[in-house]
Amino acid sequence: MTAEPYDRPYDLITMGRLGVDLYPLQSGVELARVESFGKFLGGSPANVAVAAARLGRSVALVSRTGADPFGAYLHRELRAFGVDDRWVTEVTEYPTPVTFCEIFPPDHFPIHFYRRPKAPDLEIHLHELDLPALRAARAFWATGTGLSAEPSRTATLAALRERADAAGPDALTVLDLDWRPALWDGATPADEARPLYREALRHTTVAVGNLDECEVATGEREPHAAARALLAAGARLAVVKQGPKGVLALAADGTAAEVPPLPVEVVNGLGAGDAFGGALAHALLAGRDLEDVLRYANAAGAIVAGRLACSPAMPYDDEIALALATGTGSVPARDRESGPAEG
């Protein structure tokens, strides 16, 4: 697959999971009884890329798919969303992953991953990385799931090291802790994953995670203690998502901010964290103050929680502005979206 040459650094390069999300078009119905599904681009780093592209950033994704129709679909979707897919390549041995969810608002969304025998996005090899492009990008986003298996583990750590060595401590290098135990080989306990997180955090400037993920990465669950532990591990900014209590951020220079969530009538909460991530990267690149960054990212997450899909639901800047102005994430979508029928 060929792509047009790029003549300037990307605002953001994300790396890792990519697959097809099949979401029920019936809400409140267990998966065994669901009759119809919507098909969407999925995978956290892919969704973060889409979210940032929606906000006007130049974005590329590093990932892999199967050599199958679902892989072709994902390439088409990435391009339609404005995400450069030049570094999304095929793996003939493994099928493109598929993920199902169940929708039980406001807070129960079981996920069922089909990534066996192995997901193509875990077949990212170090020798295939465009290291000059990763070094030059204004921001780079990696995930904890990328550490779950080789060769992705080596490639992810090498990419983080390259960023740290080339751009120094001021580079915007984000590690989304992204702890998904079902995606690790076997039933890998957290204490086996923790050393890998610590190694990644040594080369990270921004660490983002919820309380469960912070506990896996640092052993700390209390939000302020977890933030301090992330900073001690090497990050210069720790962002701790606390669910209904909002978001806490603590910087190495002592700057801190904590903001409550934006109210929203939840439809599907699964894409909210990815919308938060894309908006977080966008706002940090814009040089906003820390509290404004969190409010902006919170609003983006709330908007997507009020919609069915992940990738197509990612908000535009004017939608985020409206949510902040009205104090609710329940804002009309720019493009018509079909919501789930009641079951």
Side-chain angles (χ1 to χ4, degrees):
M1 182 172 299
T2 60
E4 293 298 320
Y6 59 97
D7 56 4
R8 60 185 177 87
Y10 292 93
D11 289 327
L12 174 66
I13 297 177
T14 69
M15 177 174 168
R17 277 196 286 135
L18 173 64
V20 175
D21 286 347
L22 294 174
Y23 285 174
L25 299 182
Q26 296 84 44
S27 179
V29 178
E30 62 185 12
L31 196 59
R33 295 178 54 237
V34 172
E35 296 181 352
S36 56
F37 298 85
K39 181 179 67 174
F40 307 103
L41 176 147
S44 183
N47 283 330
V48 169
V50 170
R54 275 276 166 93
L55 297 172
R57 295 296 177 180
S58 59
V59 186
L61 172 68
V62 179
S63 191
R64 307 196 75 181
T65 71
D68 51 37
F70 277 153
Y73 162 77
L74 292 172
H75 278 285
R76 187 174 71 247
E77 288 294 284
L78 287 168
R79 293 168 182 160
F81 285 126
V83 177
D84 194 328
D85 63 344
R86 71 181 62 237
W87 295 307
V88 179
T89 57
E90 291 183 347
V91 178
T92 58
E93 296 88 345
Y94 305 122
T96 299
V98 176
T99 301
F100 292 87
C101 80
E102 297 175 272
I103 299 178
F104 293 94
D107 58 4
H108 186 53
F109 305 99
I111 306 176
H112 305 269
F113 294 101
Y114 289 80
R115 291 168 58 88
R116 301 297 180 191
K118 187 179 185 181
D121 55 64
L122 293 175
E123 282 291 301
I124 299 173
H125 291 260
L126 172 58
H127 71 268
E128 296 172 332
L129 296 180
D130 188 334
L131 294 178
L134 292 179
R135 288 192 293 263
R138 296 184 62 201
F140 174 63
W141 184 286
T143 75
T145 297
L147 304 174
S148 65
E150 293 290 5
S152 172
R153 178 181 301 157
T154 293
T156 299
L157 291 173
L160 292 170
R161 282 194 296 268
E162 283 288 326
R163 292 277 299 175
D165 292 344
D170 294 328
L172 182 53
T173 304
V174 185
L175 178 68
D176 178 0
L177 300 180
D178 188 40
W179 170 243
R180 303 279 189 175
L183 304 187
W184 288 64
D185 289 338
T188 304
D191 57 359
E192 291 184 29
R194 189 167 296 140
L196 297 170
Y197 276 101
R198 289 191 178 278
E199 173 63 20
L201 286 166
R202 290 180 53 225
H203 312 292
T204 297
T205 55
V206 181
V208 183
N210 61 32
L211 295 177
D212 290 338
E213 292 166 339
C214 288
E215 185 174 19
V216 170
T218 69
E220 299 285 353
R221 186 174 183 84
E222 193 281 323
H224 290 82
R228 290 191 295 269
L230 290 170
L231 296 180
R236 295 174 63 84
L237 176 64
V239 179
V240 180
K241 296 183 283 189
Q242 306 175 79
K245 292 185 177 180
V247 183
L248 164 72
L250 182 62
D253 64 4
T255 305
E258 190 166 3
V259 302
L262 200 65
V264 64
E265 184 176 345
V266 175
V267 174
N268 182 1
L270 292 177
D274 301 335
F276 178 96
L280 177 79
H282 171 70
L284 288 172
L285 285 170
R288 302 187 184 200
D289 70 75
L290 189 55
E291 183 172 334
D292 188 36
V293 167
L294 295 188
R295 291 191 184 280
Y296 187 86
N298 251 4
I303 290 169
V304 174
R307 300 174 178 178
L308 171 62
C310 289
S311 48
M314 296 300 168
Y316 296 91
D317 184 70
D318 61 330
E319 294 177 302
I320 297 175
L322 179 59
L324 290 170
T326 58
T328 175
S330 298
V331 300
R334 179 181 292 188
D335 300 315
R336 183 179 180 185
E337 293 185 12
S338 58
E342 293 299 324

